DNA sequence: GTGTTGACTATCG
DNA sequence: ACGATAGCCAACA
């Protein structure tokens, strides 16, 4: 088992199926971090650019991409999700259809 | 040990 | 529906 919180987050990310998304809060809870949703975002920001983890399937509770507008990966995240079948409407995801929960 | 930070969330006006 | 505010929690200086 993983003692490191960030390792626990990595394991949770691998469980997310393509075409679905999860919120930061859900990832935190599944990783055993309770309500440390902010920590999930901080951890993802530190991920290496060549990471194989599906970090792009993590969005905020509003169904929006949380990255700042000027962040280069923001555009890439939406593009990756769109390729997996996640539909964006006015820059927003319909969580009632695409939110994944175990 | 103390205070600040942040890819968050729930609540309020 | 939208912006501002307060609450949360681990990492960092």
């Amino acid at each position: 088992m993983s003692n490191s919180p960030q390792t626990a987050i990595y394991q949770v990310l691998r469980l997310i199926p393509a075409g679905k998304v999860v919120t930061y809060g859900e990832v935190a809870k599944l990783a055993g971090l309770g309500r440390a949703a902010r920590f999930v975002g901080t951890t993802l920001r530190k991920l290496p650019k060549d990471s194989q983890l599906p970090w792009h399937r993590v969005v905020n509770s509003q169904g929006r991409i949380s990255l700042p507008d000027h962040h280069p990966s923001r555009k890439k995240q939406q593009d990756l999700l769109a390729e997996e079948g996640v539909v964006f409407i006015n820059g927003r995801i319909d969580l009632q259809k695409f939110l994944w929960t175990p």
Side-chain angles (χ1 to χ4, degrees):
Chain A
M1 63 183 290
S2 43
N3 301 340
S4 172
Q6 73 174 246
T7 301
I9 293 176
Y10 299 154
Q11 297 301 332
V12 172
L13 291 182
R14 292 186 180 284
L15 299 176
I16 308 171
K20 294 286 182 177
V21 298
V22 288
T23 65
Y24 291 91
E26 277 297 309
V27 174
K29 186 181 178 186
L30 292 174
L33 295 172
R35 307 183 199 97
R38 309 188 80 151
F39 176 67
V40 176
T42 302
T43 301
L44 293 187
R45 189 178 71 73
K46 294 176 183 174
L47 282 177
K49 199 160 64 172
D50 56 1
S51 174
Q52 299 295 314
L53 296 170
W55 57 270
H56 55 275
R57 294 181 191 145
V58 184
V59 298
N60 62 27
S61 62
Q62 304 175 21
R64 289 182 170 285
I65 294 175
S66 280
L67 277 69
D69 298 339
H70 55 77
H71 197 292
S73 294
R74 185 198 153 289
K75 185 180 187 302
K76 184 172 185 175
Q77 178 172 11
Q78 180 168 347
D79 192 47
L80 288 169
L81 288 174
E83 252 182 73
E84 295 181 348
V86 177
V87 180
F88 280 80
I89 300 175
N90 295 328
R92 213 181 303 176
I93 299 171
D94 187 347
L95 291 181
Q96 298 200 24
K97 295 180 181 175
F98 297 106
L99 180 63
W100 176 78
T101 166

